Amino acid sequence: MRVVFIGSVIFSSKMLTVIIKNKLDIVGIITKKKSTYNSDHFDLTKTIKKKKIPVLYAKNINEKKNIQWLKSKKPDLIFCIGWSQILSKNILNIAKKGVIGFHPSNLPENKGRHPLIWTMALGLKKSYSTFFLMNSKVDDGPIISKKFFLVKRNYYVQDLYDKTINIAEKQIQDICISLKKNKNLSTKKQIGKTNLWRKRSFKDGLIDWRMSAITINNLIRALSTPYPNAFFYYKKKKYSVTKSIIIKNNKSNIEPGKLISKNSSGFIIKCGIDSIKILESKPKIIFRNKNIYLD
């Protein structure tokens, strides 16, 4: 079976590694040399190393020349995992067995952009790892494999990312075994209510101290490594936050954004509900007095 793999993030590399170990006939790889919007970008040429697999670097995968290159590889199956552009019908119709995509959500719920970040920011208790056959709609098509796991309270987004990789590796291993046996992949139609998560922007990472401490803490955990951090301003200077904890209190007469206390381990800021202790910030912030309000 002739396979083309499309991807450009760390997750893509992990899935490609499993496919290579299963010795599927990879006849082409489409990836990116660099990315201005994927903070977990990964050039897949580093994964294949000295293997003689044709590689195409593509900025817009739907350009005619890229489609022609893809057709020339005569793939039976395409994997598209970790690619932020929607594939055109011209690409979706190239491979006889279709295009396998991936989305870490409970499809048909929570389609769209930044699923791991939204999962953490919204404080969801479960996360999912879902492989499906792609069609022309966003994150749509019959489901091949779906697994779920609990999001622990102490998780940061890197923990969620790693856990998703661990589960997805097992799923794609099973998919590869079926493909090697020339079995038709078992699929189930997506059934149920659906929603579409929007694209996040820079301003979504700005901490508003009027929010509850739990909401702010979720935001900080959601935007930790490998993603751009949550941030705040103090005296017009930007500070990124990488680690925090919630401090319960009933200080209802204290305004949100006010510094409550500070010591060598961090500083406590009043929020709309409760307070939050900032354990790590970049650059490290030094307060000269106690009567301080963050922007």
Side-chain angles (χ1 to χ4, degrees):
M1 178 179 294
R2 296 170 64 84
V3 173
V4 169
F5 189 95
I6 302 170
S8 62
V9 296
I10 295 169
F11 189 89
S12 312
S13 174
K14 299 295 184 180
M15 299 305 105
L16 178 58
T17 299
V18 175
I19 294 172
I20 291 171
K21 287 181 179 178
N22 278 274
K23 299 182 179 179
L24 294 187
D25 184 15
I26 303 174
V27 297
I29 289 174
I30 298 178
T31 189
K32 293 178 182 287
K33 272 189 178 180
K34 58 183 179 179
S35 174
T36 57
Y37 47 85
N38 287 121
S39 52
D40 58 338
H41 167 261
F42 194 92
D43 181 347
L44 293 183
T45 59
K46 298 175 183 178
T47 305
I48 60 175
K49 296 179 181 178
K50 296 182 180 180
K51 296 183 181 294
K52 296 181 179 179
I53 301 174
V55 174
L56 173 68
Y57 285 116
K59 291 183 179 179
N60 179 3
I61 196 169
N62 295 311
E63 287 184 0
K64 187 175 180 180
K65 63 179 181 178
N66 297 333
I67 294 173
Q68 290 301 321
W69 184 92
L70 192 49
K71 284 182 176 179
S72 72
K73 303 309 168 191
K74 299 179 179 178
D76 298 301
L77 179 70
I78 297 171
F79 284 92
C80 182
I81 300 174
W83 193 265
S84 58
Q85 294 172 330
I86 297 173
L87 303 187
S88 68
K89 288 184 179 179
N90 290 330
I91 292 178
L92 293 172
N93 294 331
I94 289 175
K96 298 175 184 177
K97 290 184 177 292
V99 181
I100 294 178
F102 175 83
H103 194 68
S105 81
N106 186 24
L107 294 179
E109 293 180 353
N110 305 331
K111 299 178 179 182
R113 303 296 294 272
H114 316 295
L116 295 185
I117 294 175
W118 280 119
T119 295
M120 296 290 292
L122 295 173
L124 301 187
K125 305 301 182 183
K126 290 182 181 179
S127 190
Y128 292 76
S129 175
T130 306
F131 289 88
F132 62 100
L133 282 175
M134 298 176 69
N135 60 28
S136 58
K137 298 179 181 179
V138 175
D139 299 323
D140 201 54
I143 291 172
I144 300 169
S145 175
K146 179 162 66 173
K147 303 290 184 182
F148 82 90
F149 59 94
L150 300 179
V151 181
K152 296 181 179 179
R153 289 184 179 181
N154 63 341
Y155 270 12
Y156 278 72
V157 77
Q158 184 68 66
D159 301 303
L160 186 62
Y161 199 113
D162 292 343
K163 184 69 174 180
T164 305
I165 288 173
N166 181 260
I167 290 176
E169 284 176 333
K170 297 173 183 176
Q171 290 173 280
I172 206 167
Q173 170 71 23
D174 291 340
I175 291 171
C176 288
I177 291 172
S178 294
L179 293 173
K180 287 172 70 175
K181 293 179 179 179
N182 291 317
K183 290 184 177 180
N184 290 324
L185 295 173
S186 177
T187 62
K188 292 183 179 180
K189 184 179 179 180
Q190 292 190 27
I191 299 175
K193 294 182 179 180
T194 186
N195 62 289
L196 189 69
W197 276 335
R198 66 169 173 81
K199 181 179 179 181
R200 295 180 64 87
S201 65
F202 174 78
K203 67 180 181 180
D204 286 309
L206 177 62
I207 295 172
D208 183 340
W209 302 108
R210 294 169 296 180
M211 297 189 295
S212 68
I214 190 170
T215 300
I216 294 173
N217 194 55
N218 285 343
L219 180 65
I220 291 168
R221 294 187 301 128
L223 292 176
S224 57
T225 305
Y227 301 118
N229 304 136
F231 62 93
F232 64 89
Y233 290 99
Y234 175 58
K235 292 185 176 180
K236 298 183 179 180
K237 185 174 181 179
K238 178 174 174 281
Y239 292 87
S240 297
V241 182
T242 55
K243 195 172 183 181
S244 61
I245 56 173
I246 297 168
I247 304 295
K248 295 285 186 178
N249 62 44
N250 59 357
K251 296 180 182 294
S252 57
N253 63 321
I254 304 298
E255 315 95 298
K258 185 174 184 179
L259 175 69
I260 293 177
S261 66
K262 58 187 176 71
N263 55 39
S264 59
S265 65
F267 55 93
I268 298 175
I269 303 295
K270 180 65 175 67
C271 305
I273 299 175
D274 296 320
S275 297
I276 196 159
K277 185 171 185 177
I278 305 300
L279 301 174
E280 293 179 4
S281 63
K282 297 184 295 185
K284 188 174 182 179
I285 188 168
I286 299 175
F287 299 114
R288 300 298 181 186
N289 57 64
K290 291 184 177 180
N291 194 28
I292 287 173
Y293 294 86
L294 302 186
D295 298 345

